[in-house]
Amino acid sequence: VVFDLSREFLGWVGLNYGNYRTRVRINPFVGIHCVPLMKLVAELSGKKYRMGSVATFAVHLGTICPDVDVVEFFSETELETESERLAKTLAQYAVPYMRSLASYEALLPLLQERVPMLGGYPQMVTAALYLMGRKEEARQFVLARRAEYGTASKIARESFDHFAIPFLSLLNN
């Protein structure tokens, strides 16, 4: 689920679920989808951009709302009551959180913390720096990651290079 926060940022909700014999468990994640950033990463990685398909940054709802871990719908649960509780919780906690992330300045430090996880975070940090006009810092970040991945993991290096080489070419044009 995505919705407009601004011209560049969408609120993002991911409802991971498990379907069990006696219940359905919803594991909600909330965050932000930065359209220009995700478009740039997709384009330079040779992938098709799909708006809102993944979050740029997301956390489990329980991280920002400790009273809500998962939502469970049991066969005897009134669906409307539990659905309404989830919607109210998202409106109360998730939407303000999403709004707090809706700038490159707020988003960049969170992405930088996740760089060691890989999973596209190095690419997103690079794109954020570039879109913020910090092009030389983006270049240095890419060169440092390529050097690091070249000595640590061939798979990480090859994966990152699918983005990094076109990015460096973009900077040189």
mmCIF file of all heavy atoms in Angstrom, residues 122 126 129 135-151 157 160-161 163-165 167-169 171-172:
data_model
loop_
_atom_site.group_PDB
_atom_site.id
_atom_site.type_symbol
_atom_site.label_atom_id
_atom_site.label_comp_id
_atom_site.label_asym_id
_atom_site.label_seq_id
_atom_site.Cartn_x
_atom_site.Cartn_y
_atom_site.Cartn_z
ATOM 1 N N PRO A 122 23.582 0.162 -0.341
ATOM 2 C CA PRO A 122 24.670 0.983 -0.909
ATOM 3 C C PRO A 122 24.217 1.761 -2.145
ATOM 4 O O PRO A 122 24.579 2.929 -2.324
ATOM 5 C CB PRO A 122 25.749 -0.053 -1.257
ATOM 6 C CG PRO A 122 25.480 -1.199 -0.329
ATOM 7 C CD PRO A 122 23.984 -1.244 -0.192
ATOM 8 N N THR A 126 24.030 5.916 -2.482
ATOM 9 C CA THR A 126 24.643 6.588 -3.632
ATOM 10 C C THR A 126 23.636 7.486 -4.338
ATOM 11 O O THR A 126 23.923 8.664 -4.625
ATOM 12 C CB THR A 126 25.193 5.544 -4.632
ATOM 13 O OG1 THR A 126 26.109 4.693 -3.955
ATOM 14 C CG2 THR A 126 25.871 6.223 -5.804
ATOM 15 N N LEU A 129 22.726 10.606 -2.231
ATOM 16 C CA LEU A 129 23.788 11.621 -2.304
ATOM 17 C C LEU A 129 23.740 12.352 -3.639
ATOM 18 O O LEU A 129 23.844 13.588 -3.691
ATOM 19 C CB LEU A 129 25.155 10.969 -2.101
ATOM 20 C CG LEU A 129 25.456 10.449 -0.685
ATOM 21 C CD1 LEU A 129 26.694 9.572 -0.689
ATOM 22 C CD2 LEU A 129 25.593 11.609 0.296
ATOM 23 N N LYS A 135 27.518 15.051 -5.475
ATOM 24 C CA LYS A 135 27.989 14.108 -6.492
ATOM 25 C C LYS A 135 29.387 13.570 -6.213
ATOM 26 O O LYS A 135 29.644 12.379 -6.421
ATOM 27 C CB LYS A 135 27.905 14.755 -7.874
ATOM 28 C CG LYS A 135 26.464 15.026 -8.274
ATOM 29 C CD LYS A 135 26.346 15.728 -9.599
ATOM 30 C CE LYS A 135 24.875 16.007 -9.882
ATOM 31 N NZ LYS A 135 24.674 16.730 -11.112
ATOM 32 N N GLU A 136 30.274 14.407 -5.751
ATOM 33 C CA GLU A 136 31.631 13.921 -5.475
ATOM 34 C C GLU A 136 31.623 12.963 -4.282
ATOM 35 O O GLU A 136 32.338 11.956 -4.279
ATOM 36 C CB GLU A 136 32.605 15.079 -5.226
ATOM 37 C CG GLU A 136 34.049 14.637 -5.057
ATOM 38 C CD GLU A 136 34.569 13.758 -6.201
ATOM 39 O OE1 GLU A 136 34.181 13.930 -7.373
ATOM 40 O OE2 GLU A 136 35.408 12.863 -5.918
ATOM 41 N N GLU A 137 30.803 13.250 -3.298
ATOM 42 C CA GLU A 137 30.667 12.340 -2.155
ATOM 43 C C GLU A 137 30.080 10.998 -2.618
ATOM 44 O O GLU A 137 30.507 9.934 -2.163
ATOM 45 C CB GLU A 137 29.773 12.980 -1.092
ATOM 46 C CG GLU A 137 29.777 12.266 0.230
ATOM 47 C CD GLU A 137 28.960 12.981 1.294
ATOM 48 O OE1 GLU A 137 28.651 14.197 1.129
ATOM 49 O OE2 GLU A 137 28.620 12.327 2.281
ATOM 50 N N ALA A 138 29.140 11.049 -3.552
ATOM 51 C CA ALA A 138 28.554 9.828 -4.109
ATOM 52 C C ALA A 138 29.624 9.029 -4.848
ATOM 53 O O ALA A 138 29.709 7.800 -4.708
ATOM 54 C CB ALA A 138 27.392 10.166 -5.036
ATOM 55 N N ARG A 139 30.445 9.710 -5.624
ATOM 56 C CA ARG A 139 31.530 9.039 -6.361
ATOM 57 C C ARG A 139 32.484 8.343 -5.378
ATOM 58 O O ARG A 139 32.835 7.178 -5.557
ATOM 59 C CB ARG A 139 32.313 10.034 -7.213
ATOM 60 C CG ARG A 139 33.497 9.390 -7.944
ATOM 61 C CD ARG A 139 34.470 10.400 -8.550
ATOM 62 N NE ARG A 139 33.821 11.420 -9.332
ATOM 63 C CZ ARG A 139 33.499 11.307 -10.628
ATOM 64 N NH1 ARG A 139 33.777 10.193 -11.270
ATOM 65 N NH2 ARG A 139 32.911 12.292 -11.269
ATOM 66 N N GLN A 140 32.901 9.070 -4.365
ATOM 67 C CA GLN A 140 33.837 8.497 -3.390
ATOM 68 C C GLN A 140 33.214 7.303 -2.652
ATOM 69 O O GLN A 140 33.887 6.311 -2.370
ATOM 70 C CB GLN A 140 34.311 9.570 -2.403
ATOM 71 C CG GLN A 140 35.164 10.651 -3.041
ATOM 72 C CD GLN A 140 36.352 10.081 -3.796
ATOM 73 O OE1 GLN A 140 37.043 9.182 -3.335
ATOM 74 N NE2 GLN A 140 36.591 10.595 -5.010
ATOM 75 N N PHE A 141 31.934 7.408 -2.353
ATOM 76 C CA PHE A 141 31.217 6.305 -1.692
ATOM 77 C C PHE A 141 31.231 5.062 -2.585
ATOM 78 O O PHE A 141 31.518 3.952 -2.127
ATOM 79 C CB PHE A 141 29.784 6.735 -1.360
ATOM 80 C CG PHE A 141 28.980 5.665 -0.691
ATOM 81 C CD1 PHE A 141 29.104 5.423 0.663
ATOM 82 C CD2 PHE A 141 28.088 4.887 -1.427
ATOM 83 C CE1 PHE A 141 28.370 4.417 1.279
ATOM 84 C CE2 PHE A 141 27.343 3.891 -0.822
ATOM 85 C CZ PHE A 141 27.483 3.650 0.537
ATOM 86 N N VAL A 142 30.939 5.248 -3.867
ATOM 87 C CA VAL A 142 30.913 4.127 -4.815
ATOM 88 C C VAL A 142 32.308 3.506 -4.936
ATOM 89 O O VAL A 142 32.463 2.273 -4.894
ATOM 90 C CB VAL A 142 30.383 4.567 -6.193
ATOM 91 C CG1 VAL A 142 30.678 3.527 -7.271
ATOM 92 C CG2 VAL A 142 28.893 4.825 -6.117
ATOM 93 N N LEU A 143 33.315 4.328 -5.080
ATOM 94 C CA LEU A 143 34.680 3.804 -5.210
ATOM 95 C C LEU A 143 35.105 3.038 -3.953
ATOM 96 O O LEU A 143 35.734 1.972 -4.056
ATOM 97 C CB LEU A 143 35.658 4.942 -5.520
ATOM 98 C CG LEU A 143 35.443 5.640 -6.867
ATOM 99 C CD1 LEU A 143 36.384 6.835 -7.009
ATOM 100 C CD2 LEU A 143 35.596 4.662 -8.033
ATOM 101 N N ALA A 144 34.736 3.548 -2.798
ATOM 102 C CA ALA A 144 35.064 2.864 -1.538
ATOM 103 C C ALA A 144 34.335 1.528 -1.435
ATOM 104 O O ALA A 144 34.920 0.523 -1.000
ATOM 105 C CB ALA A 144 34.726 3.753 -0.350
ATOM 106 N N ARG A 145 33.077 1.485 -1.828
ATOM 107 C CA ARG A 145 32.313 0.220 -1.782
ATOM 108 C C ARG A 145 32.899 -0.790 -2.763
ATOM 109 O O ARG A 145 33.031 -1.968 -2.448
ATOM 110 C CB ARG A 145 30.835 0.424 -2.124
ATOM 111 C CG ARG A 145 30.022 1.291 -1.182
ATOM 112 C CD ARG A 145 29.803 0.769 0.233
ATOM 113 N NE ARG A 145 30.947 0.812 1.109
ATOM 114 C CZ ARG A 145 31.506 1.914 1.646
ATOM 115 N NH1 ARG A 145 31.013 3.101 1.405
ATOM 116 N NH2 ARG A 145 32.550 1.831 2.432
ATOM 117 N N ARG A 146 33.255 -0.349 -3.951
ATOM 118 C CA ARG A 146 33.829 -1.265 -4.949
ATOM 119 C C ARG A 146 35.139 -1.856 -4.421
ATOM 120 O O ARG A 146 35.386 -3.046 -4.584
ATOM 121 C CB ARG A 146 34.061 -0.554 -6.274
ATOM 122 C CG ARG A 146 32.753 -0.208 -6.979
ATOM 123 C CD ARG A 146 32.965 0.330 -8.369
ATOM 124 N NE ARG A 146 33.281 -0.805 -9.248
ATOM 125 C CZ ARG A 146 34.107 -0.725 -10.269
ATOM 126 N NH1 ARG A 146 34.722 0.402 -10.560
ATOM 127 N NH2 ARG A 146 34.338 -1.782 -11.028
ATOM 128 N N ALA A 147 35.944 -1.033 -3.783
ATOM 129 C CA ALA A 147 37.199 -1.533 -3.221
ATOM 130 C C ALA A 147 36.920 -2.516 -2.087
ATOM 131 O O ALA A 147 37.541 -3.586 -2.010
ATOM 132 C CB ALA A 147 38.046 -0.367 -2.715
ATOM 133 N N GLU A 148 35.985 -2.178 -1.237
ATOM 134 C CA GLU A 148 35.631 -3.050 -0.106
ATOM 135 C C GLU A 148 35.065 -4.389 -0.590
ATOM 136 O O GLU A 148 35.474 -5.444 -0.121
ATOM 137 C CB GLU A 148 34.602 -2.349 0.780
ATOM 138 C CG GLU A 148 34.094 -3.178 1.940
ATOM 139 C CD GLU A 148 32.982 -2.498 2.716
ATOM 140 O OE1 GLU A 148 32.864 -1.254 2.658
ATOM 141 O OE2 GLU A 148 32.211 -3.217 3.365
ATOM 142 N N TYR A 149 34.135 -4.340 -1.519
ATOM 143 C CA TYR A 149 33.504 -5.568 -1.993
ATOM 144 C C TYR A 149 34.454 -6.398 -2.844
ATOM 145 O O TYR A 149 34.325 -7.611 -2.894
ATOM 146 C CB TYR A 149 32.225 -5.265 -2.771
ATOM 147 C CG TYR A 149 31.200 -4.479 -1.977
ATOM 148 C CD1 TYR A 149 30.304 -3.650 -2.618
ATOM 149 C CD2 TYR A 149 31.144 -4.555 -0.586
ATOM 150 C CE1 TYR A 149 29.364 -2.911 -1.903
ATOM 151 C CE2 TYR A 149 30.221 -3.821 0.137
ATOM 152 C CZ TYR A 149 29.334 -3.003 -0.526
ATOM 153 O OH TYR A 149 28.413 -2.272 0.186
ATOM 154 N N GLY A 150 35.403 -5.739 -3.483
ATOM 155 C CA GLY A 150 36.369 -6.459 -4.296
ATOM 156 C C GLY A 150 37.261 -7.360 -3.471
ATOM 157 O O GLY A 150 37.705 -8.400 -3.949
ATOM 158 N N THR A 151 37.508 -6.986 -2.230
ATOM 159 C CA THR A 151 38.348 -7.809 -1.360
ATOM 160 C C THR A 151 37.530 -8.725 -0.469
ATOM 161 O O THR A 151 38.044 -9.717 0.024
ATOM 162 C CB THR A 151 39.239 -6.910 -0.466
ATOM 163 O OG1 THR A 151 38.403 -6.069 0.325
ATOM 164 C CG2 THR A 151 40.183 -6.076 -1.309
ATOM 165 N N ARG A 157 30.542 -7.691 -4.986
ATOM 166 C CA ARG A 157 31.170 -6.786 -5.947
ATOM 167 C C ARG A 157 30.433 -6.826 -7.289
ATOM 168 O O ARG A 157 30.104 -5.790 -7.860
ATOM 169 C CB ARG A 157 32.639 -7.152 -6.141
ATOM 170 C CG ARG A 157 33.364 -6.427 -7.274
ATOM 171 C CD ARG A 157 33.515 -4.923 -7.000
ATOM 172 N NE ARG A 157 34.119 -4.227 -8.101
ATOM 173 C CZ ARG A 157 35.410 -3.945 -8.204
ATOM 174 N NH1 ARG A 157 36.247 -4.302 -7.271
ATOM 175 N NH2 ARG A 157 35.858 -3.291 -9.240
ATOM 176 N N PHE A 160 26.983 -5.161 -6.932
ATOM 177 C CA PHE A 160 27.087 -3.707 -6.810
ATOM 178 C C PHE A 160 27.530 -3.079 -8.126
ATOM 179 O O PHE A 160 27.064 -2.008 -8.504
ATOM 180 C CB PHE A 160 28.045 -3.329 -5.679
ATOM 181 C CG PHE A 160 28.087 -1.856 -5.396
ATOM 182 C CD1 PHE A 160 26.968 -1.183 -4.929
ATOM 183 C CD2 PHE A 160 29.243 -1.126 -5.614
ATOM 184 C CE1 PHE A 160 27.005 0.185 -4.676
ATOM 185 C CE2 PHE A 160 29.286 0.236 -5.356
ATOM 186 C CZ PHE A 160 28.162 0.887 -4.891
ATOM 187 N N ASP A 161 28.413 -3.761 -8.845
ATOM 188 C CA ASP A 161 28.918 -3.223 -10.106
ATOM 189 C C ASP A 161 27.825 -3.043 -11.159
ATOM 190 O O ASP A 161 27.945 -2.175 -12.026
ATOM 191 C CB ASP A 161 30.045 -4.088 -10.667
ATOM 192 C CG ASP A 161 31.401 -3.731 -10.079
ATOM 193 O OD1 ASP A 161 31.487 -2.737 -9.331
ATOM 194 O OD2 ASP A 161 32.377 -4.456 -10.367
ATOM 195 N N PHE A 163 25.180 -1.666 -10.754
ATOM 196 C CA PHE A 163 24.735 -0.293 -10.511
ATOM 197 C C PHE A 163 25.908 0.687 -10.614
ATOM 198 O O PHE A 163 25.797 1.750 -11.221
ATOM 199 C CB PHE A 163 24.101 -0.203 -9.117
ATOM 200 C CG PHE A 163 23.890 1.198 -8.628
ATOM 201 C CD1 PHE A 163 22.747 1.901 -8.975
ATOM 202 C CD2 PHE A 163 24.830 1.824 -7.830
ATOM 203 C CE1 PHE A 163 22.553 3.201 -8.532
ATOM 204 C CE2 PHE A 163 24.645 3.121 -7.382
ATOM 205 C CZ PHE A 163 23.499 3.813 -7.735
ATOM 206 N N ALA A 164 27.028 0.332 -10.001
ATOM 207 C CA ALA A 164 28.143 1.267 -9.835
ATOM 208 C C ALA A 164 28.756 1.710 -11.160
ATOM 209 O O ALA A 164 29.062 2.899 -11.336
ATOM 210 C CB ALA A 164 29.215 0.642 -8.944
ATOM 211 N N ILE A 165 28.943 0.798 -12.076
ATOM 212 C CA ILE A 165 29.581 1.155 -13.352
ATOM 213 C C ILE A 165 28.712 2.137 -14.145
ATOM 214 O O ILE A 165 29.208 3.178 -14.584
ATOM 215 C CB ILE A 165 29.970 -0.104 -14.144
ATOM 216 C CG1 ILE A 165 31.104 -0.819 -13.393
ATOM 217 C CG2 ILE A 165 30.374 0.241 -15.567
ATOM 218 C CD1 ILE A 165 31.434 -2.211 -13.903
ATOM 219 N N PHE A 167 26.546 4.112 -12.850
ATOM 220 C CA PHE A 167 26.524 5.354 -12.062
ATOM 221 C C PHE A 167 27.766 6.190 -12.327
ATOM 222 O O PHE A 167 27.674 7.405 -12.551
ATOM 223 C CB PHE A 167 26.391 5.050 -10.569
ATOM 224 C CG PHE A 167 26.440 6.290 -9.730
ATOM 225 C CD1 PHE A 167 25.334 7.121 -9.647
ATOM 226 C CD2 PHE A 167 27.583 6.663 -9.066
ATOM 227 C CE1 PHE A 167 25.370 8.299 -8.916
ATOM 228 C CE2 PHE A 167 27.642 7.841 -8.321
ATOM 229 C CZ PHE A 167 26.525 8.655 -8.250
ATOM 230 N N LEU A 168 28.927 5.562 -12.303
ATOM 231 C CA LEU A 168 30.171 6.290 -12.555
ATOM 232 C C LEU A 168 30.168 6.870 -13.965
ATOM 233 O O LEU A 168 30.638 7.986 -14.186
ATOM 234 C CB LEU A 168 31.380 5.394 -12.318
ATOM 235 C CG LEU A 168 31.603 4.987 -10.849
ATOM 236 C CD1 LEU A 168 32.671 3.910 -10.745
ATOM 237 C CD2 LEU A 168 31.927 6.189 -9.987
ATOM 238 N N SER A 169 29.602 6.156 -14.906
ATOM 239 C CA SER A 169 29.470 6.670 -16.268
ATOM 240 C C SER A 169 28.554 7.883 -16.311
ATOM 241 O O SER A 169 28.838 8.853 -17.014
ATOM 242 C CB SER A 169 28.922 5.552 -17.174
ATOM 243 O OG SER A 169 28.751 6.025 -18.477
ATOM 244 N N LEU A 171 28.141 10.047 -13.959
ATOM 245 C CA LEU A 171 28.898 11.174 -13.414
ATOM 246 C C LEU A 171 29.873 11.748 -14.423
ATOM 247 O O LEU A 171 30.186 12.938 -14.375
ATOM 248 C CB LEU A 171 29.662 10.745 -12.153
ATOM 249 C CG LEU A 171 28.835 10.503 -10.907
ATOM 250 C CD1 LEU A 171 29.738 10.047 -9.759
ATOM 251 C CD2 LEU A 171 28.035 11.738 -10.504
ATOM 252 N N ASN A 172 30.385 10.907 -15.299
ATOM 253 C CA ASN A 172 31.388 11.353 -16.273
ATOM 254 C C ASN A 172 30.774 12.037 -17.489
ATOM 255 O O ASN A 172 31.496 12.570 -18.311
ATOM 256 C CB ASN A 172 32.260 10.172 -16.710
ATOM 257 C CG ASN A 172 33.145 9.691 -15.569
ATOM 258 O OD1 ASN A 172 33.508 10.453 -14.702
ATOM 259 N ND2 ASN A 172 33.454 8.418 -15.582
#
